Amino acid sequence: MSVRLMVVDDHRLLAEALASALKLRGHRVLAAAAPSGGAAELVISRAPEVCLLGTATPAEPGVFDPVVRIKREKPQIAVVVLGPVPSPRGIASAFAAGASGYVRHDERIEGVERAMVKARAGEAAVAPQLLTQSFAELLNPAAEPDDEGARLLQMLTPREVEVLVRVAEGEDTRLIAAGMGIAPSTARTHVQRVLMKLGVGSRLEAAALAARTGLLERAGGGAGA
């Protein structure tokens, strides 16, 4: 079953090699590109069924921002992340941004193909063994203290932490934008991303969660970074 897709990776050679392999298997590859900052724009403009998005740093803040934008503007596009074996937070961040799947970048082409088909069908595409490996530290309570506030804080970028602090202080979108020197639309996007990452449906819930878990106290000097 042919899939219309795009391959986007920081390493052009890898992107083109994967695209060629998938073409040989009968899939329609719209583009194989490695833009430094224009990944979202390129994917949105071409509107594939599936986007394979490669990253070498799944835990780096903001690495999944293109996924957030793609899903906001073209929610019908399924994004499958190709990356190294991540920490649990790496997978969580990918799915929180809206990704449909996560595949190791050393996976066989058959595994990538299965993930593409599952993602296009609206299913979560994550290999069971990858889940077992990456979530091992969460399944072992002795491996890490049960500190929800610390876990939540690590899911947020410094800019998102500042937004959360301002939300908790009761600032509306206009005040957040003015205080941070950004456009109201950008502030609104940051707020929506914070709500999504925290798994809450409103600003009030976000503020309550932050207070309950001690997240605001931990954010302390981090706001405005």
PDB file of all heavy atoms in Angstrom, residues 111-150:
ATOM      1  N   GLY A 111      10.667  -1.944   9.346  1.00  0.00           N
ATOM      2  CA  GLY A 111      10.120  -1.351  10.559  1.00  0.00           C
ATOM      3  C   GLY A 111       9.653   0.075  10.328  1.00  0.00           C
ATOM      4  O   GLY A 111       8.609   0.502  10.838  1.00  0.00           O
ATOM      5  N   VAL A 112      10.440   0.825   9.549  1.00  0.00           N
ATOM      6  CA  VAL A 112      10.042   2.192   9.212  1.00  0.00           C
ATOM      7  C   VAL A 112       8.751   2.167   8.406  1.00  0.00           C
ATOM      8  O   VAL A 112       7.833   2.960   8.634  1.00  0.00           O
ATOM      9  CB  VAL A 112      11.160   2.897   8.404  1.00  0.00           C
ATOM     10  CG1 VAL A 112      10.701   4.280   7.959  1.00  0.00           C
ATOM     11  CG2 VAL A 112      12.438   2.992   9.230  1.00  0.00           C
ATOM     12  N   GLU A 113       8.669   1.242   7.475  1.00  0.00           N
ATOM     13  CA  GLU A 113       7.486   1.125   6.620  1.00  0.00           C
ATOM     14  C   GLU A 113       6.253   0.784   7.446  1.00  0.00           C
ATOM     15  O   GLU A 113       5.176   1.368   7.253  1.00  0.00           O
ATOM     16  CB  GLU A 113       7.740   0.063   5.564  1.00  0.00           C
ATOM     17  CG  GLU A 113       6.742   0.051   4.438  1.00  0.00           C
ATOM     18  CD  GLU A 113       7.167  -0.901   3.331  1.00  0.00           C
ATOM     19  OE1 GLU A 113       7.790  -1.940   3.649  1.00  0.00           O
ATOM     20  OE2 GLU A 113       6.887  -0.604   2.165  1.00  0.00           O
ATOM     21  N   ARG A 114       6.387  -0.144   8.385  1.00  0.00           N
ATOM     22  CA  ARG A 114       5.248  -0.486   9.246  1.00  0.00           C
ATOM     23  C   ARG A 114       4.789   0.719  10.060  1.00  0.00           C
ATOM     24  O   ARG A 114       3.580   0.949  10.225  1.00  0.00           O
ATOM     25  CB  ARG A 114       5.627  -1.640  10.179  1.00  0.00           C
ATOM     26  CG  ARG A 114       5.643  -3.003   9.527  1.00  0.00           C
ATOM     27  CD  ARG A 114       5.687  -4.107  10.573  1.00  0.00           C
ATOM     28  NE  ARG A 114       6.895  -4.040  11.389  1.00  0.00           N
ATOM     29  CZ  ARG A 114       8.035  -4.648  11.083  1.00  0.00           C
ATOM     30  NH1 ARG A 114       8.115  -5.372   9.969  1.00  0.00           N
ATOM     31  NH2 ARG A 114       9.088  -4.548  11.879  1.00  0.00           N
ATOM     32  N   ALA A 115       5.734   1.486  10.564  1.00  0.00           N
ATOM     33  CA  ALA A 115       5.389   2.672  11.353  1.00  0.00           C
ATOM     34  C   ALA A 115       4.649   3.697  10.513  1.00  0.00           C
ATOM     35  O   ALA A 115       3.675   4.313  10.963  1.00  0.00           O
ATOM     36  CB  ALA A 115       6.661   3.286  11.949  1.00  0.00           C
ATOM     37  N   MET A 116       5.074   3.878   9.265  1.00  0.00           N
ATOM     38  CA  MET A 116       4.404   4.815   8.362  1.00  0.00           C
ATOM     39  C   MET A 116       2.955   4.423   8.146  1.00  0.00           C
ATOM     40  O   MET A 116       2.045   5.269   8.223  1.00  0.00           O
ATOM     41  CB  MET A 116       5.126   4.840   7.006  1.00  0.00           C
ATOM     42  CG  MET A 116       6.483   5.509   7.007  1.00  0.00           C
ATOM     43  SD  MET A 116       7.482   5.069   5.542  1.00  0.00           S
ATOM     44  CE  MET A 116       6.232   4.879   4.272  1.00  0.00           C
ATOM     45  N   VAL A 117       2.727   3.152   7.875  1.00  0.00           N
ATOM     46  CA  VAL A 117       1.373   2.670   7.587  1.00  0.00           C
ATOM     47  C   VAL A 117       0.480   2.805   8.821  1.00  0.00           C
ATOM     48  O   VAL A 117      -0.678   3.226   8.729  1.00  0.00           O
ATOM     49  CB  VAL A 117       1.421   1.213   7.097  1.00  0.00           C
ATOM     50  CG1 VAL A 117       0.013   0.651   6.956  1.00  0.00           C
ATOM     51  CG2 VAL A 117       2.165   1.125   5.761  1.00  0.00           C
ATOM     52  N   LYS A 118       1.015   2.454   9.987  1.00  0.00           N
ATOM     53  CA  LYS A 118       0.240   2.575  11.219  1.00  0.00           C
ATOM     54  C   LYS A 118      -0.095   4.032  11.515  1.00  0.00           C
ATOM     55  O   LYS A 118      -1.220   4.359  11.897  1.00  0.00           O
ATOM     56  CB  LYS A 118       1.009   1.967  12.394  1.00  0.00           C
ATOM     57  CG  LYS A 118       1.116   0.462  12.363  1.00  0.00           C
ATOM     58  CD  LYS A 118       1.811  -0.079  13.604  1.00  0.00           C
ATOM     59  CE  LYS A 118       0.930   0.094  14.832  1.00  0.00           C
ATOM     60  NZ  LYS A 118       1.532  -0.547  16.021  1.00  0.00           N
ATOM     61  N   ALA A 119       0.879   4.902  11.332  1.00  0.00           N
ATOM     62  CA  ALA A 119       0.653   6.320  11.606  1.00  0.00           C
ATOM     63  C   ALA A 119      -0.409   6.898  10.678  1.00  0.00           C
ATOM     64  O   ALA A 119      -1.280   7.657  11.100  1.00  0.00           O
ATOM     65  CB  ALA A 119       1.963   7.095  11.464  1.00  0.00           C
ATOM     66  N   ARG A 120      -0.338   6.520   9.399  1.00  0.00           N
ATOM     67  CA  ARG A 120      -1.338   7.012   8.451  1.00  0.00           C
ATOM     68  C   ARG A 120      -2.739   6.533   8.832  1.00  0.00           C
ATOM     69  O   ARG A 120      -3.733   7.234   8.603  1.00  0.00           O
ATOM     70  CB  ARG A 120      -1.006   6.546   7.034  1.00  0.00           C
ATOM     71  CG  ARG A 120      -1.943   7.137   5.991  1.00  0.00           C
ATOM     72  CD  ARG A 120      -1.605   6.696   4.597  1.00  0.00           C
ATOM     73  NE  ARG A 120      -1.744   5.255   4.402  1.00  0.00           N
ATOM     74  CZ  ARG A 120      -1.620   4.661   3.221  1.00  0.00           C
ATOM     75  NH1 ARG A 120      -1.315   5.365   2.151  1.00  0.00           N
ATOM     76  NH2 ARG A 120      -1.778   3.355   3.120  1.00  0.00           N
ATOM     77  N   ALA A 121      -2.816   5.353   9.450  1.00  0.00           N
ATOM     78  CA  ALA A 121      -4.105   4.799   9.862  1.00  0.00           C
ATOM     79  C   ALA A 121      -4.593   5.374  11.187  1.00  0.00           C
ATOM     80  O   ALA A 121      -5.652   4.989  11.679  1.00  0.00           O
ATOM     81  CB  ALA A 121      -4.005   3.281   9.970  1.00  0.00           C
ATOM     82  N   GLY A 122      -3.802   6.290  11.770  1.00  0.00           N
ATOM     83  CA  GLY A 122      -4.214   6.916  13.022  1.00  0.00           C
ATOM     84  C   GLY A 122      -3.807   6.154  14.265  1.00  0.00           C
ATOM     85  O   GLY A 122      -4.278   6.445  15.369  1.00  0.00           O
ATOM     86  N   GLU A 123      -2.915   5.171  14.100  1.00  0.00           N
ATOM     87  CA  GLU A 123      -2.457   4.382  15.237  1.00  0.00           C
ATOM     88  C   GLU A 123      -1.105   4.892  15.734  1.00  0.00           C
ATOM     89  O   GLU A 123      -0.335   5.475  14.975  1.00  0.00           O
ATOM     90  CB  GLU A 123      -2.314   2.910  14.843  1.00  0.00           C
ATOM     91  CG  GLU A 123      -3.584   2.280  14.305  1.00  0.00           C
ATOM     92  CD  GLU A 123      -3.346   0.857  13.832  1.00  0.00           C
ATOM     93  OE1 GLU A 123      -2.520   0.159  14.455  1.00  0.00           O
ATOM     94  OE2 GLU A 123      -3.962   0.464  12.828  1.00  0.00           O
ATOM     95  N   ALA A 124      -0.832   4.655  17.019  1.00  0.00           N
ATOM     96  CA  ALA A 124       0.473   4.999  17.577  1.00  0.00           C
ATOM     97  C   ALA A 124       1.500   4.000  17.058  1.00  0.00           C
ATOM     98  O   ALA A 124       1.283   2.793  17.109  1.00  0.00           O
ATOM     99  CB  ALA A 124       0.433   4.976  19.096  1.00  0.00           C
ATOM    100  N   ALA A 125       2.606   4.502  16.556  1.00  0.00           N
ATOM    101  CA  ALA A 125       3.620   3.637  15.946  1.00  0.00           C
ATOM    102  C   ALA A 125       4.902   3.670  16.772  1.00  0.00           C
ATOM    103  O   ALA A 125       5.796   4.491  16.539  1.00  0.00           O
ATOM    104  CB  ALA A 125       3.894   4.091  14.509  1.00  0.00           C
ATOM    105  N   VAL A 126       4.977   2.793  17.751  1.00  0.00           N
ATOM    106  CA  VAL A 126       6.171   2.665  18.593  1.00  0.00           C
ATOM    107  C   VAL A 126       6.431   1.182  18.809  1.00  0.00           C
ATOM    108  O   VAL A 126       5.535   0.444  19.224  1.00  0.00           O
ATOM    109  CB  VAL A 126       5.995   3.342  19.963  1.00  0.00           C
ATOM    110  CG1 VAL A 126       7.309   3.315  20.743  1.00  0.00           C
ATOM    111  CG2 VAL A 126       5.511   4.770  19.810  1.00  0.00           C
ATOM    112  N   ALA A 127       7.652   0.746  18.511  1.00  0.00           N
ATOM    113  CA  ALA A 127       7.984  -0.668  18.690  1.00  0.00           C
ATOM    114  C   ALA A 127       7.929  -1.038  20.170  1.00  0.00           C
ATOM    115  O   ALA A 127       8.430  -0.285  21.009  1.00  0.00           O
ATOM    116  CB  ALA A 127       9.377  -0.947  18.141  1.00  0.00           C
ATOM    117  N   PRO A 128       7.325  -2.176  20.513  1.00  0.00           N
ATOM    118  CA  PRO A 128       7.237  -2.590  21.919  1.00  0.00           C
ATOM    119  C   PRO A 128       8.589  -2.634  22.612  1.00  0.00           C
ATOM    120  O   PRO A 128       8.721  -2.219  23.762  1.00  0.00           O
ATOM    121  CB  PRO A 128       6.603  -3.982  21.824  1.00  0.00           C
ATOM    122  CG  PRO A 128       5.833  -3.971  20.545  1.00  0.00           C
ATOM    123  CD  PRO A 128       6.646  -3.127  19.619  1.00  0.00           C
ATOM    124  N   GLN A 129       9.628  -3.121  21.913  1.00  0.00           N
ATOM    125  CA  GLN A 129      10.935  -3.205  22.548  1.00  0.00           C
ATOM    126  C   GLN A 129      11.516  -1.831  22.839  1.00  0.00           C
ATOM    127  O   GLN A 129      12.245  -1.643  23.813  1.00  0.00           O
ATOM    128  CB  GLN A 129      11.923  -4.018  21.700  1.00  0.00           C
ATOM    129  CG  GLN A 129      12.248  -3.422  20.331  1.00  0.00           C
ATOM    130  CD  GLN A 129      11.318  -3.913  19.239  1.00  0.00           C
ATOM    131  OE1 GLN A 129      10.172  -4.242  19.514  1.00  0.00           O
ATOM    132  NE2 GLN A 129      11.809  -3.960  18.015  1.00  0.00           N
ATOM    133  N   LEU A 130      11.176  -0.850  21.998  1.00  0.00           N
ATOM    134  CA  LEU A 130      11.641   0.515  22.239  1.00  0.00           C
ATOM    135  C   LEU A 130      10.980   1.082  23.483  1.00  0.00           C
ATOM    136  O   LEU A 130      11.625   1.742  24.299  1.00  0.00           O
ATOM    137  CB  LEU A 130      11.348   1.400  21.022  1.00  0.00           C
ATOM    138  CG  LEU A 130      11.732   2.882  21.149  1.00  0.00           C
ATOM    139  CD1 LEU A 130      13.211   3.016  21.463  1.00  0.00           C
ATOM    140  CD2 LEU A 130      11.394   3.623  19.870  1.00  0.00           C
ATOM    141  N   LEU A 131       9.677   0.814  23.621  1.00  0.00           N
ATOM    142  CA  LEU A 131       8.985   1.272  24.824  1.00  0.00           C
ATOM    143  C   LEU A 131       9.598   0.645  26.070  1.00  0.00           C
ATOM    144  O   LEU A 131       9.823   1.315  27.071  1.00  0.00           O
ATOM    145  CB  LEU A 131       7.496   0.909  24.745  1.00  0.00           C
ATOM    146  CG  LEU A 131       6.624   1.775  23.848  1.00  0.00           C
ATOM    147  CD1 LEU A 131       5.205   1.244  23.848  1.00  0.00           C
ATOM    148  CD2 LEU A 131       6.632   3.218  24.320  1.00  0.00           C
ATOM    149  N   THR A 132       9.887  -0.645  25.989  1.00  0.00           N
ATOM    150  CA  THR A 132      10.454  -1.343  27.146  1.00  0.00           C
ATOM    151  C   THR A 132      11.794  -0.745  27.542  1.00  0.00           C
ATOM    152  O   THR A 132      12.055  -0.474  28.716  1.00  0.00           O
ATOM    153  CB  THR A 132      10.632  -2.839  26.827  1.00  0.00           C
ATOM    154  OG1 THR A 132       9.354  -3.399  26.507  1.00  0.00           O
ATOM    155  CG2 THR A 132      11.219  -3.574  28.015  1.00  0.00           C
ATOM    156  N   GLN A 133      12.647  -0.502  26.551  1.00  0.00           N
ATOM    157  CA  GLN A 133      13.968   0.045  26.829  1.00  0.00           C
ATOM    158  C   GLN A 133      13.893   1.475  27.359  1.00  0.00           C
ATOM    159  O   GLN A 133      14.515   1.815  28.360  1.00  0.00           O
ATOM    160  CB  GLN A 133      14.821   0.017  25.552  1.00  0.00           C
ATOM    161  CG  GLN A 133      15.143  -1.379  25.051  1.00  0.00           C
ATOM    162  CD  GLN A 133      15.721  -1.360  23.646  1.00  0.00           C
ATOM    163  OE1 GLN A 133      16.022  -0.306  23.107  1.00  0.00           O
ATOM    164  NE2 GLN A 133      15.864  -2.537  23.059  1.00  0.00           N
ATOM    165  N   SER A 134      13.118   2.315  26.685  1.00  0.00           N
ATOM    166  CA  SER A 134      13.135   3.733  27.018  1.00  0.00           C
ATOM    167  C   SER A 134      12.381   4.057  28.297  1.00  0.00           C
ATOM    168  O   SER A 134      12.666   5.055  28.958  1.00  0.00           O
ATOM    169  CB  SER A 134      12.556   4.550  25.856  1.00  0.00           C
ATOM    170  OG  SER A 134      11.220   4.191  25.627  1.00  0.00           O
ATOM    171  N   PHE A 135      11.428   3.204  28.658  1.00  0.00           N
ATOM    172  CA  PHE A 135      10.664   3.482  29.868  1.00  0.00           C
ATOM    173  C   PHE A 135      11.143   2.666  31.076  1.00  0.00           C
ATOM    174  O   PHE A 135      10.516   2.673  32.117  1.00  0.00           O
ATOM    175  CB  PHE A 135       9.173   3.199  29.633  1.00  0.00           C
ATOM    176  CG  PHE A 135       8.481   4.321  28.913  1.00  0.00           C
ATOM    177  CD1 PHE A 135       8.496   4.359  27.526  1.00  0.00           C
ATOM    178  CD2 PHE A 135       7.842   5.331  29.596  1.00  0.00           C
ATOM    179  CE1 PHE A 135       7.873   5.393  26.841  1.00  0.00           C
ATOM    180  CE2 PHE A 135       7.226   6.374  28.920  1.00  0.00           C
ATOM    181  CZ  PHE A 135       7.241   6.408  27.549  1.00  0.00           C
ATOM    182  N   ALA A 136      12.274   1.989  30.925  1.00  0.00           N
ATOM    183  CA  ALA A 136      12.760   1.143  32.014  1.00  0.00           C
ATOM    184  C   ALA A 136      12.955   1.936  33.300  1.00  0.00           C
ATOM    185  O   ALA A 136      12.607   1.486  34.390  1.00  0.00           O
ATOM    186  CB  ALA A 136      14.071   0.470  31.606  1.00  0.00           C
ATOM    187  N   GLU A 137      13.498   3.144  33.191  1.00  0.00           N
ATOM    188  CA  GLU A 137      13.765   3.923  34.398  1.00  0.00           C
ATOM    189  C   GLU A 137      12.484   4.407  35.070  1.00  0.00           C
ATOM    190  O   GLU A 137      12.453   4.616  36.290  1.00  0.00           O
ATOM    191  CB  GLU A 137      14.667   5.116  34.090  1.00  0.00           C
ATOM    192  CG  GLU A 137      14.053   6.160  33.186  1.00  0.00           C
ATOM    193  CD  GLU A 137      15.050   7.261  32.837  1.00  0.00           C
ATOM    194  OE1 GLU A 137      15.943   7.018  32.011  1.00  0.00           O
ATOM    195  OE2 GLU A 137      14.922   8.359  33.401  1.00  0.00           O
ATOM    196  N   LEU A 138      11.407   4.562  34.281  1.00  0.00           N
ATOM    197  CA  LEU A 138      10.139   4.956  34.887  1.00  0.00           C
ATOM    198  C   LEU A 138       9.450   3.763  35.542  1.00  0.00           C
ATOM    199  O   LEU A 138       8.702   3.919  36.505  1.00  0.00           O
ATOM    200  CB  LEU A 138       9.206   5.572  33.834  1.00  0.00           C
ATOM    201  CG  LEU A 138       9.605   6.931  33.268  1.00  0.00           C
ATOM    202  CD1 LEU A 138       8.528   7.440  32.332  1.00  0.00           C
ATOM    203  CD2 LEU A 138       9.857   7.939  34.375  1.00  0.00           C
ATOM    204  N   LEU A 139       9.706   2.571  35.000  1.00  0.00           N
ATOM    205  CA  LEU A 139       9.093   1.380  35.562  1.00  0.00           C
ATOM    206  C   LEU A 139       9.806   0.904  36.825  1.00  0.00           C
ATOM    207  O   LEU A 139       9.284   0.070  37.553  1.00  0.00           O
ATOM    208  CB  LEU A 139       9.100   0.255  34.516  1.00  0.00           C
ATOM    209  CG  LEU A 139       8.281   0.525  33.242  1.00  0.00           C
ATOM    210  CD1 LEU A 139       8.475  -0.599  32.234  1.00  0.00           C
ATOM    211  CD2 LEU A 139       6.807   0.672  33.581  1.00  0.00           C
ATOM    212  N   ASN A 140      10.980   1.446  37.076  1.00  0.00           N
ATOM    213  CA  ASN A 140      11.750   1.093  38.265  1.00  0.00           C
ATOM    214  C   ASN A 140      11.736   2.273  39.235  1.00  0.00           C
ATOM    215  O   ASN A 140      12.489   3.222  39.061  1.00  0.00           O
ATOM    216  CB  ASN A 140      13.190   0.747  37.877  1.00  0.00           C
ATOM    217  CG  ASN A 140      14.018   0.361  39.089  1.00  0.00           C
ATOM    218  OD1 ASN A 140      13.508   0.283  40.206  1.00  0.00           O
ATOM    219  ND2 ASN A 140      15.299   0.140  38.869  1.00  0.00           N
ATOM    220  N   PRO A 141      10.902   2.239  40.260  1.00  0.00           N
ATOM    221  CA  PRO A 141      10.791   3.372  41.178  1.00  0.00           C
ATOM    222  C   PRO A 141      12.098   3.740  41.843  1.00  0.00           C
ATOM    223  O   PRO A 141      12.294   4.882  42.234  1.00  0.00           O
ATOM    224  CB  PRO A 141       9.774   2.877  42.219  1.00  0.00           C
ATOM    225  CG  PRO A 141       9.016   1.803  41.524  1.00  0.00           C
ATOM    226  CD  PRO A 141       9.994   1.149  40.610  1.00  0.00           C
ATOM    227  N   ALA A 142      13.029   2.780  41.974  1.00  0.00           N
ATOM    228  CA  ALA A 142      14.288   3.061  42.649  1.00  0.00           C
ATOM    229  C   ALA A 142      15.239   3.857  41.772  1.00  0.00           C
ATOM    230  O   ALA A 142      16.217   4.405  42.250  1.00  0.00           O
ATOM    231  CB  ALA A 142      14.963   1.760  43.064  1.00  0.00           C
ATOM    232  N   ALA A 143      14.949   3.893  40.495  1.00  0.00           N
ATOM    233  CA  ALA A 143      15.881   4.544  39.578  1.00  0.00           C
ATOM    234  C   ALA A 143      15.818   6.053  39.672  1.00  0.00           C
ATOM    235  O   ALA A 143      16.757   6.745  39.348  1.00  0.00           O
ATOM    236  CB  ALA A 143      15.592   4.107  38.133  1.00  0.00           C
ATOM    237  N   GLU A 144      14.684   6.592  40.098  1.00  0.00           N
ATOM    238  CA  GLU A 144      14.517   8.038  40.128  1.00  0.00           C
ATOM    239  C   GLU A 144      13.461   8.390  41.149  1.00  0.00           C
ATOM    240  O   GLU A 144      12.430   7.735  41.250  1.00  0.00           O
ATOM    241  CB  GLU A 144      14.081   8.533  38.733  1.00  0.00           C
ATOM    242  CG  GLU A 144      13.934  10.038  38.631  1.00  0.00           C
ATOM    243  CD  GLU A 144      13.558  10.458  37.215  1.00  0.00           C
ATOM    244  OE1 GLU A 144      13.729   9.662  36.288  1.00  0.00           O
ATOM    245  OE2 GLU A 144      13.061  11.591  37.068  1.00  0.00           O
ATOM    246  N   PRO A 145      13.681   9.433  41.943  1.00  0.00           N
ATOM    247  CA  PRO A 145      12.667   9.830  42.923  1.00  0.00           C
ATOM    248  C   PRO A 145      11.358  10.163  42.241  1.00  0.00           C
ATOM    249  O   PRO A 145      11.324  10.626  41.103  1.00  0.00           O
ATOM    250  CB  PRO A 145      13.294  11.079  43.570  1.00  0.00           C
ATOM    251  CG  PRO A 145      14.748  10.990  43.266  1.00  0.00           C
ATOM    252  CD  PRO A 145      14.850  10.286  41.945  1.00  0.00           C
ATOM    253  N   ASP A 146      10.269   9.911  42.953  1.00  0.00           N
ATOM    254  CA  ASP A 146       8.952  10.208  42.403  1.00  0.00           C
ATOM    255  C   ASP A 146       8.670  11.688  42.593  1.00  0.00           C
ATOM    256  O   ASP A 146       8.045  12.092  43.567  1.00  0.00           O
ATOM    257  CB  ASP A 146       7.891   9.353  43.098  1.00  0.00           C
ATOM    258  CG  ASP A 146       6.514   9.569  42.466  1.00  0.00           C
ATOM    259  OD1 ASP A 146       6.453  10.142  41.368  1.00  0.00           O
ATOM    260  OD2 ASP A 146       5.514   9.172  43.089  1.00  0.00           O
ATOM    261  N   ASP A 147       9.172  12.488  41.695  1.00  0.00           N
ATOM    262  CA  ASP A 147       9.051  13.936  41.809  1.00  0.00           C
ATOM    263  C   ASP A 147       8.361  14.463  40.563  1.00  0.00           C
ATOM    264  O   ASP A 147       8.990  14.730  39.550  1.00  0.00           O
ATOM    265  CB  ASP A 147      10.437  14.559  41.974  1.00  0.00           C
ATOM    266  CG  ASP A 147      10.353  16.036  42.347  1.00  0.00           C
ATOM    267  OD1 ASP A 147       9.354  16.672  41.972  1.00  0.00           O
ATOM    268  OD2 ASP A 147      11.274  16.529  43.006  1.00  0.00           O
ATOM    269  N   GLU A 148       7.054  14.580  40.651  1.00  0.00           N
ATOM    270  CA  GLU A 148       6.276  14.979  39.485  1.00  0.00           C
ATOM    271  C   GLU A 148       6.646  16.374  39.010  1.00  0.00           C
ATOM    272  O   GLU A 148       6.722  16.646  37.822  1.00  0.00           O
ATOM    273  CB  GLU A 148       4.781  14.918  39.822  1.00  0.00           C
ATOM    274  CG  GLU A 148       3.878  15.185  38.615  1.00  0.00           C
ATOM    275  CD  GLU A 148       2.403  15.103  38.960  1.00  0.00           C
ATOM    276  OE1 GLU A 148       2.085  14.891  40.150  1.00  0.00           O
ATOM    277  OE2 GLU A 148       1.577  15.261  38.048  1.00  0.00           O
ATOM    278  N   GLY A 149       6.889  17.279  39.971  1.00  0.00           N
ATOM    279  CA  GLY A 149       7.244  18.645  39.596  1.00  0.00           C
ATOM    280  C   GLY A 149       8.505  18.700  38.765  1.00  0.00           C
ATOM    281  O   GLY A 149       8.582  19.417  37.767  1.00  0.00           O
ATOM    282  N   ALA A 150       9.523  17.933  39.176  1.00  0.00           N
ATOM    283  CA  ALA A 150      10.793  17.913  38.434  1.00  0.00           C
ATOM    284  C   ALA A 150      10.593  17.334  37.045  1.00  0.00           C
ATOM    285  O   ALA A 150      11.146  17.824  36.062  1.00  0.00           O
ATOM    286  CB  ALA A 150      11.833  17.111  39.210  1.00  0.00           C
TER     287      ALA A 150
END
